[in-house]
Each structure stands twice: as structure tokens, then as C-alpha cells.
Amino acid sequence: MKTVWISEQSFLKMAKIGWIDYNNARLSDNKILGVKLPETRFFYGQRTRKPHMQLHEVTRFINDYNRTKKNQLERA
């Protein structure tokens, strides 16, 4: 099975998470609403470090995050 990588920016667009929430989660416990964020790896290109994540981990995060968000809204 081939590993598919996506950029951190693409992840934020797919998950519909704001940069501030994401950055705060990375600085504290790596979780948003109790769901662990995907691990990042850095790829180097043209004098920059660009963080990427594995697509299967992103998919898992989005599913868990949406489920948690839905459950939270139902309880309110």
C-alpha cells in the first residue's frame, strides 16, 4: 500500500479547523475536542520546511472529530 501525504494547509481546509485552534492544540496536548491530531513529518523543498500528514490519519481524525462535535451538539 502506498502512503499518501497531504500538506498541513490542505488538512486545515479539509477539517475546517481554524489555524489558531490548530496551533494552540499543537502547543498544548495535540488534541482538539479530545481527538488526537495526526502526526506531522517535514519535507524539505526549495529552502522551506513543509509539514505533511498521512492521508489515512487525516481521514481518521476528521471522522472522529465530526463524531465528537455531533455528540457534543446533541448533549447541549
Side-chain angles (χ1 to χ4, degrees):
M1 175 185 273
K2 184 175 178 177
T3 302
V4 178
W5 296 89
I6 67 165
S7 70
E8 193 174 48
Q9 290 174 337
S10 296
F11 164 72
L12 292 173
K13 288 179 186 175
M14 288 173 60
K16 297 179 183 167
I17 296 173
W19 175 251
I20 292 173
D21 293 334
Y22 174 75
N23 199 32
N24 286 340
R26 282 286 184 211
L27 291 173
S28 60
D29 62 356
N30 258 2
K31 293 181 180 179
I32 295 179
L33 291 179
V35 180
K36 189 174 187 298
L37 291 166
E39 183 180 328
T40 57
R41 300 244 168 79
F42 288 94
F43 292 128
Y44 297 90
Q46 298 187 352
R47 295 175 273 219
T48 59
R49 281 180 53 186
K50 297 182 180 178
H52 284 70
M53 304 168 185
Q54 291 184 21
L55 184 59
H56 72 89
E57 290 182 4
V58 169
T59 304
R60 177 210 44 89
F61 171 81
I62 291 172
N63 289 336
D64 293 347
Y65 177 76
N66 288 338
R67 188 178 315 116
T68 303
K69 202 170 180 182
K70 180 182 173 185
N71 290 340
Q72 194 176 49
L73 290 174
E74 287 176 356
R75 291 182 189 154

